[in-house]
Amino acid sequence: MTPVQLEVFLQTLIAGLLLGGLYALIGLGMTLIMGVMKIINLAHGELMMVAMYIAYWMFVLFHIDPYLSVFIATPVLFLLGAAIQKFLINPMLKVESILPENQVILTVGIGMVLANLATLFFKSDYRSTPVDYATSAFYLSDFWKASPIELSLSLPWAVSFIFAVGITIALWFFLARTDTGKSIRATAQDTDAALLMGVNVKMMRVVTFGIGSGLVGAAGCLFLPIYYLFPSLGGQFTLIAFVITILGGLGSTVGAIIGGLILGVFESMTATYIGMGWAPVGRFVVFVACLIFLPGGVASLLKKKRFGK
Amino acid sequence: MTQESAKVQKSKVKSQKSIPPYPTLIILAILAVLPLTGLSSYMMHIFILVIMWAVIGMAWNLLGGYCGQVSFGHAAYFGVGAYTAGILYSKLGLSPWWGIPLSIIVVALFSFVLGFIVLRLRGPFFALATLASGEVMRVTAENLQPLTGGTLGILVQERTWIVKTWYYYVILAIAAGTFFLVKKLIESKLGYYFVAIREDQDAAESLGINTTLYKTLALCISGVLTGIAGAFYTNYMGYIDPHVAFALHDISIITIMIVMVGGVATFWGPFAGAVIMVLLAEYIRSMPGLGAAHQTLFGILLIVIIIFLPNGIVGDFPKLKRLLGLRSASQ
Amino acid sequence: MKRLSFVILLFFIACLFAVDVFAAENLELSIPLPLTGAQAKFGEMEKKSYEIAAEEINAKGGIKGRKVVLTFEDSQGKPEISRSIVEKLIDVKKQPVIIGEYSSSSSKAVAAVANERKVPYLVVTGADDSITQQNYKYVFRMNPSNAYYATGLVSFLKEVVKPQSIAILYESSDFGTSGADDMAKQAEKIGMKVLVKEKYEKGAVDFKPILTKVKAERPDMIYMVSYVMDASLLMKQIKELRVDAKLFAGGAAGFAIPEFVDNAKDAAEYVVTATLWCTMAKYPGASEFAEKYKKLYGDYPSYHGAEAYSALYITKDVLERAKSMGPEDIREAMKATNIMTAFGPVKFEDKEGYQNQNFMDTLVLQVINGKHHCIWPEKYASKKYIYPIPVWRERK
């Protein structure tokens, strides 16, 4: 391998891992929601868009850095998500219908309303937060003068990645150590059993949807400095979240992280070595292959236990 | 789930008490004479779209409503049908109308292969896999530039007719054919197998129903019917590109909405849904002042229907009638 | 069931009467534009520009004494809906001339209908070459087609930069694809080697893998056809990876509008882009329009705005010259158009396989000190170009 080829490979790998970390955070919210409620939430990306608008306006009006907005947007999104579950999805689960997939269409409706309201209020302008550090980066040659290859690490991408890791660890602790977290996991594993054990399943659903929304809200804030914002941005991230959820295994935190990283690296490698136009195909091929050959996702390999039948 | 058995009962009653043919024939007759009333070309365009969507809705309903396999990727079949017609025209110089018969073969093969992959999955996983299949087809069409023209799409230089009447009768014939085919299938033994699979696949399997066979059958028929609508679209619109023909939101999701709003597992549901979705969208969109908010209104309408009329306008028609009746009584 | 069919029937009938009929004192023009969805940004800009033009025309007495009243219909950028709108305009509103639409795919749908129904259609923005190559008698296009977008840029390359190799990145839309294909052809004609030609899905988050690949190939110049935010992301990530080239060039669209500089910040410096128009273009009324737009909406318009603004003036000119308001007369008047607009000279010609196509000089902009300046052709230049450009490591 010539130095140039090595440089291309390593730089691609770095890009893939950074992207994967952020993808994982988007996927985490969905994996929780799908794991606990078996609900396909097609409004996931739109919730992220809402959080991004919150972070954007915080930046424009009060000069609050998007990274600090994580602490504002996440609680707001938690409330929004909880409200959606309590006032829209819970009542719908009660009504009798032939197909259980009604709820998917409900989330489509919610997504439509959110995206269109954003267009009405904020116009369809593309926006971004022009932070000073947007293009700052660390370069290998700055640390190691004689380096035969040049690698770079973007500052905002790295910060977003670290934030994502931090949030993931916090979530893992919450699910593993707290009572609420344990109840959520119990609901995910067996709703009826959890009900018998005295878990307030309805409440847990509301909390879970709230946390799921809060997580994707945090992801939105972390994406803002490196990406941009417009009302109809949600769709593509919803799809990415699905892929990660399936890749990682429903309801599995660790699975979502590994799934996100795999997807990030896979997409980057496809872009470099096959062609960027094909990257989305690769994404869905991995997805379908995983559905068929590894229905429990990465989590099933880790735990030898199958979720989400 | 305890509601399950009630549901089985209900749907059985529904399919046993088959609708007498008169209203069907009356509606068909009304639709057949519609172009003779001197409607503007614009109204004809809207009606053509309504009927085209009704066809796609009925096709989806066969697989999703009766057989319980909720597909989020009907754009894949629509697109393959549309591109069959388009490629025949652009590469072989044939009339895109040949696409309609040929798409039956192409889409049937395509659905068979796709079904082999996705039908192993159940419930939400099936839904997600079909959703992915639609997207895969879109990106593939974009990248296979020599065959599909990539994102530049295929433009049919001269459409067959300027007057809409003939397009209208073609799609009406397709719709009538689809309607009677779906009706015959559902009222036959096959229909019972489909419903049995929808209600409980494992139980159906244990009763000796070859679920894989019947699911594949439902998927192929549904796919072919959707593909025919796609081939018609190429002929009618004269232009397709991957974003138009394989649209996730504009085709796959709209199809589900049409059926859900109209009424899942009902014969007239897709038609009612298409009327509502296309006409209402067109109407609200062109209202001054409200135009910009039409997606919001639409979303709200959808949410309301799902929560209060979960079986759609047709499925919950008695309930709807009661609600409306109550209101007029209290006023 | 009977009642249901009755309800459905009622619905149909209600819709027949839904469209109102109005008196013809004012000149009503409905313009289809994408006002929601991903392209809404440009739809909005064009809408505002049409409105400015209408106001000016009305202040000067309207068209043939009739006041222009504009309404806009949202096509969401979907060809199917664009078609619905145009069918309605022709049938119900009896509009004698159609102007508008933004994307190439919607413009194609409108053009096909307009030509079938024999109503003149003025394409304002749709740039795909094929629109005016179909022998459509009734379709006119005021903007140069995609193949001509980069002519100005190519002459700049030939005379100033003289690059040996090129990397082309483009978005996977019909605009991006045809822009990239045309550039590849032109590049080979002037002896440049195309090292990389890659497309990406619009809305991609991370371009670093593909840029790393480009960096390894060391092309003399990088040419990108992208919309706004992809354009700024590309430049930001190019800066981050320190991909050096003699020239970074954009193919109009995203690179030519002020948001590009606002978002890419210092990464946008020295980037050149092909464009059809710029705010300081030396066309009569160009800078006045730009200033007026800036005063009203706080930002300068891009060439899309100028196209829309001028389109209404062309319509005015055509309708005033037309013998009657019949489509046939309007078409004849349209064919004979030869006026100077804020967008540049407009004349519809049949040549090089095109019909009713306006051919005009395209310009080159360069971002200098955080602002777009016109640098090429030299007769239109508002500032001297900066070339060669410094490498990333030495900036700031």
Side-chain angles (χ1 to χ4, degrees):
Chain A
M1 212 184 233
T2 64
V4 175
Q5 281 171 331
L6 184 69
E7 182 182 320
V8 170
F9 178 77
L10 287 179
Q11 188 73 59
T12 308
L13 189 66
I14 293 173
L17 288 174
L18 289 178
L19 184 65
L22 288 170
Y23 275 1
L25 195 56
I26 303 178
L28 265 179
M30 177 159 291
T31 202
L32 262 187
I33 295 174
M34 263 181 87
V36 173
M37 284 170 285
K38 316 286 179 280
I39 271 187
I40 297 179
N41 177 17
L42 279 179
H44 201 66
E46 274 77 17
L47 289 170
M48 176 166 158
M49 179 268 301
V50 171
M52 288 171 88
Y53 268 105
I54 294 173
Y56 172 80
W57 286 111
M58 286 295 155
F59 180 82
V60 172
L61 299 176
F62 307 112
H63 305 289
I64 296 174
D65 194 280
Y67 288 123
L68 294 177
S69 291
V70 170
F71 302 101
I72 302 164
T74 308
V76 175
L77 261 285
F78 175 86
L79 293 178
L80 179 64
I84 288 176
Q85 173 70 26
K86 191 163 165 54
F87 298 112
L88 294 174
I89 299 181
N90 268 346
M92 192 222 56
L93 290 175
K94 267 184 272 170
V95 296
E96 180 200 335
S97 68
I98 296 176
L99 292 178
E101 278 80 1
N102 259 8
Q103 52 82 13
V104 186
I105 303 304
L106 184 72
T107 59
V108 171
I110 295 168
M112 268 170 83
V113 172
L114 290 177
N116 192 235
L117 284 179
T119 316
L120 282 181
F121 288 128
F122 310 129
K123 295 275 185 261
S124 37
D125 290 347
Y126 294 92
R127 297 163 196 272
S128 70
T129 49
V131 283
D132 306 325
Y133 49 81
T135 50
S136 314
F138 306 107
Y139 297 94
L140 184 63
S141 56
D142 292 350
F143 300 102
W144 180 21
K145 286 272 181 289
S147 149
I149 57 172
E150 172 73 307
L151 293 176
S152 68
L153 179 67
S154 154
L155 176 69
W157 279 79
V159 174
S160 294
F161 182 79
I162 292 166
F163 254 93
V165 171
I167 292 169
T168 311
I169 292 172
L171 178 77
W172 187 79
F173 264 98
F174 169 77
L175 288 177
R177 296 291 146 88
T178 63
D179 283 348
T180 321
K182 284 176 186 161
S183 304
I184 289 176
R185 279 166 54 221
T187 316
Q189 278 167 11
D190 192 332
T191 316
D192 295 331
L195 202 60
L196 290 175
M197 299 307 290
V199 173
N200 185 347
V201 169
K202 226 183 209 171
M203 190 62 204
M204 282 311 121
R205 285 185 168 153
V206 173
V207 171
T208 311
F209 209 103
I211 295 175
S213 312
L215 283 171
V216 79
C221 298
L222 300 184
F223 255 100
L224 196 54
I226 56 173
Y227 198 55
Y228 50 89
L229 173 59
F230 61 102
S232 45
L233 125 165
Q236 68 184 64
F237 290 102
T238 309
L239 291 179
I240 289 169
F242 281 138
V243 180
I244 295 164
T245 306
I246 298 302
L247 210 54
L250 291 189
S252 163
T253 322
V254 185
I257 297 161
I258 299 175
L261 291 177
I262 291 176
L263 185 68
V265 173
F266 183 80
E267 277 190 9
S268 298
M269 291 292 168
T270 317
T272 303
Y273 293 105
I274 297 176
M276 205 162 162
W278 284 101
V281 172
R283 183 190 298 166
F284 289 113
V285 169
V286 170
F287 175 71
V288 174
C290 179
L291 271 173
I292 291 163
F293 299 113
L294 193 63
V298 178
S300 67
L301 292 180
L302 295 175
K303 295 182 188 168
K304 300 259 177 245
K305 194 200 281 173
R306 293 198 166 192
F307 283 117
K309 241 184 188 172
Chain B
M1 281 205 190
T2 49
Q3 304 160 348
E4 216 78 317
S5 56
K7 265 193 258 168
V8 178
Q9 219 82 57
K10 208 171 100 189
S11 45
K12 261 185 194 155
V13 169
K14 218 175 262 166
S15 45
Q16 268 166 4
K17 193 191 74 185
S18 71
I19 308 153
Y22 308 115
T24 314
L25 291 178
I26 291 170
I27 291 183
L28 198 61
I30 293 174
L31 288 175
V33 296
L34 205 65
L36 305 178
T37 56
L39 287 174
S40 68
S41 179
Y42 164 61
M43 287 315 294
M44 292 299 294
H45 170 67
I46 301 292
F47 286 140
I48 289 171
L49 286 186
V50 167
I51 298 173
M52 188 189 86
W53 278 113
V55 171
I56 305 172
M58 284 187 277
W60 187 93
N61 199 20
L62 183 70
L63 178 70
Y66 291 105
C67 200
Q69 309 299 310
V70 174
S71 156
F72 276 71
H74 259 48
Y77 313 106
F78 183 87
V80 170
Y83 266 97
T84 306
I87 291 170
L88 275 182
Y89 169 79
S90 67
K91 294 290 156 211
L92 300 178
L94 292 171
S95 155
W97 287 111
W98 287 106
I100 291 186
L102 201 74
S103 68
I104 297 177
I105 304 163
V106 175
V107 181
L109 281 175
F110 171 73
S111 341
F112 184 78
V113 174
L114 195 64
F116 184 71
I117 301 168
V118 296
L119 282 173
R120 297 152 171 246
L121 305 162
R122 289 188 188 185
F125 297 97
F126 174 80
L128 288 178
T130 50
L131 191 147
S133 67
E135 288 293 285
V136 168
M137 289 311 295
R138 177 176 62 78
V139 186
T140 309
E142 272 177 21
N143 283 282
L144 288 179
Q145 199 161 357
L147 189 64
T148 61
T151 43
L152 293 175
I154 295 172
L155 183 65
V156 178
Q157 209 152 21
E158 205 146 286
R159 285 187 287 221
T160 323
W161 303 297
I162 295 170
V163 194
K164 302 272 178 328
T165 319
W166 295 109
Y167 289 107
Y168 179 85
Y169 282 123
V170 169
I171 193 67
L172 187 64
I174 295 173
T178 307
F179 182 86
F180 287 114
L181 177 68
V182 171
K183 196 153 179 271
K184 273 277 154 318
L185 279 178
I186 296 308
E187 284 170 357
S188 72
K189 218 155 118 197
L190 223 54
Y192 286 93
Y193 292 159
F194 287 166
V195 174
I197 291 171
R198 177 185 81 198
E199 295 304 336
D200 192 333
Q201 192 174 330
D202 295 323
E205 185 93 46
S206 68
L207 286 173
I209 297 175
N210 185 345
T211 53
T212 317
L213 173 70
Y214 292 113
K215 282 196 317 194
T216 312
L217 205 58
L219 181 79
C220 286
I221 299 172
S222 176
V224 165
L225 292 171
T226 313
I228 293 175
F232 172 80
Y233 182 91
T234 306
N235 279 287
Y236 177 59
M237 288 298 289
Y239 172 73
I240 47 168
D241 66 31
H243 281 276
V244 171
F246 291 106
L248 168 65
H249 195 268
D250 297 338
I251 294 178
S252 299
I253 306 256
I254 295 280
T255 306
I256 308 175
M257 282 186 184
I258 283 175
V259 184
M260 293 263 176
V261 167
V264 172
T266 59
F267 293 124
W268 283 103
F271 188 71
V275 170
I276 293 169
M277 295 294 285
V278 177
L279 283 192
L280 204 64
E282 182 67 18
Y283 191 47
I284 302 181
R285 195 180 50 69
S286 52
M287 267 199 285
L290 275 180
H294 75 271
Q295 295 255 338
T296 310
L297 295 176
F298 228 67
I300 293 173
L301 174 81
L302 202 65
I303 294 171
V304 168
I305 286 188
I306 286 166
I307 295 180
F308 295 105
L309 300 171
N311 293 317
I313 307 264
V314 173
D316 278 329
F317 194 59
K319 191 171 162 190
L320 188 65
K321 220 160 58 178
R322 212 173 53 233
L323 283 174
L324 292 176
L326 270 181
R327 198 195 289 165
S328 60
S330 64
Q331 268 169 358
Chain C
M1 266 339 282
K2 251 185 196 161
R3 194 164 301 187
L4 178 69
S5 49
F6 183 65
V7 171
I8 293 172
L9 205 67
L10 268 186
F11 218 137
F12 273 60
I13 294 167
C15 285
L16 293 181
F17 289 99
V19 205
D20 42 339
V21 189
F22 36 77
E25 274 194 11
N26 293 335
L27 184 70
E28 298 235 11
L29 278 179
S30 280
I31 300 170
L33 278 177
L35 297 174
T36 55
Q39 302 160 346
K41 155 93 197 130
F42 296 96
E44 285 284 338
M45 186 196 283
E46 297 202 353
K47 179 176 177 232
K48 290 170 185 165
S49 309
Y50 281 120
E51 280 167 346
I52 293 177
E55 205 181 300
E56 286 177 8
I57 290 173
N58 286 337
K60 286 182 197 144
I63 299 178
K64 281 182 170 173
R66 289 162 75 185
K67 203 173 143 222
V68 184
V69 178
L70 295 183
T71 48
F72 297 90
E73 293 228 22
D74 179 16
S75 67
Q76 300 167 32
K78 297 174 193 165
E80 201 179 303
I81 300 184
S82 308
R83 182 166 180 188
S84 302
I85 295 171
V86 173
E87 299 267 6
K88 184 164 77 182
L89 296 187
I90 296 174
D91 276 328
V92 184
K93 298 204 170 172
K94 310 272 183 230
Q95 193 166 305
V97 56
I98 312 282
I99 56 175
E101 256 315 327
Y102 167 77
S103 70
S104 291
S105 47
S106 283
S107 301
K108 280 179 200 166
V110 175
V113 176
N115 196 60
E116 274 178 7
R117 309 292 304 278
K118 302 199 184 334
V119 174
Y121 168 42
L122 178 63
V123 182
V124 179
T125 327
D128 189 22
D129 298 334
S130 68
I131 300 176
T132 42
Q133 291 176 328
Q134 306 289 326
N135 274 319
Y136 286 155
K137 248 178 95 185
Y138 291 83
V139 177
F140 297 80
R141 176 155 60 184
M142 61 177 287
N143 59 301
S145 86
N146 228 328
Y148 293 85
Y149 267 43
T151 45
L153 182 65
V154 170
S155 86
F156 178 67
L157 293 181
K158 263 200 290 203
E159 287 175 36
V160 181
V161 186
K162 303 189 177 74
Q164 299 299 308
S165 56
I166 184 172
I168 301 174
L169 302 177
Y170 60 103
E171 66 157 39
S172 61
S173 67
D174 48 3
F175 176 75
T177 312
S178 54
D181 288 351
D182 289 326
M183 190 54 174
K185 262 183 241 152
Q186 305 245 31
E188 261 157 33
K189 224 185 271 170
I190 59 172
M192 288 159 74
K193 231 171 104 193
V194 180
L195 296 176
V196 181
K197 182 162 171 272
E198 285 263 12
K199 66 164 163 282
Y200 63 85
E201 183 101 329
K202 190 156 55 179
V205 181
D206 193 5
F207 294 97
K208 274 175 278 184
I210 190 82
L211 290 173
T212 310
K213 189 164 140 187
V214 169
K215 189 181 178 186
E217 295 281 348
R218 303 188 187 289
D220 276 356
M221 74 171 281
I222 302 176
Y223 182 72
M224 294 158 278
V225 191
S226 313
Y227 278 97
V228 210
M229 299 316 262
D230 292 333
S232 26
L233 272 190
L234 271 166
M235 280 320 295
K236 278 201 246 182
Q237 295 182 0
I238 282 176
K239 181 189 171 203
E240 206 179 288
L241 289 176
R242 290 186 175 161
V243 183
D244 281 312
K246 281 187 184 168
L247 191 72
F248 300 99
F255 286 91
I257 71 173
E259 272 96 334
F260 168 60
V261 186
D262 295 345
N263 286 301
K265 295 244 157 170
D266 52 341
E269 197 68 17
Y270 310 122
V271 173
V272 302
T273 176
T275 190
L276 305 178
W277 182 82
C278 65
T279 49
M280 44 283 190
K282 289 174 183 156
Y283 301 129
S287 50
E288 287 88 341
F289 161 67
E291 291 306 327
K292 196 178 246 178
Y293 189 99
K294 161 120 183 163
K295 218 174 91 192
L296 283 169
Y297 304 109
D299 213 343
Y300 282 116
S302 62
Y303 64 87
H304 307 90
E307 282 169 349
Y309 174 82
S310 305
L312 204 63
Y313 274 99
I314 297 172
T315 315
K316 172 181 187 291
D317 173 66
V318 167
L319 291 181
E320 279 171 352
R321 281 185 293 109
K323 278 182 237 137
S324 76
M325 286 296 266
E328 210 51 52
D329 289 329
I330 294 178
R331 193 195 78 84
E332 266 171 36
M334 190 88 98
K335 187 81 191 166
T337 303
N338 187 3
I339 62 165
M340 192 66 184
T341 67
F343 179 61
V346 174
K347 196 162 85 188
F348 299 110
E349 292 174 275
D350 299 344
K351 66 173 187 194
E352 292 168 34
Y354 293 89
Q355 300 87 34
N356 304 331
Q357 171 68 51
N358 181 31
F359 295 89
M360 59 191 284
D361 287 335
T362 59
L363 314 175
V364 180
L365 301 180
Q366 186 170 31
V367 180
I368 300 170
N369 291 330
K371 261 187 110 172
H372 276 119
H373 287 279
C374 192
I375 54 153
W376 198 267
E378 269 165 319
K379 60 177 170 175
Y380 295 120
S382 63
K383 214 168 187 153
K384 174 88 179 142
Y385 56 81
I386 297 183
Y387 184 82
I389 59 171
V391 297
W392 292 109
R393 185 182 279 279
E394 281 156 22
R395 295 199 197 175
K396 268 215 268 195

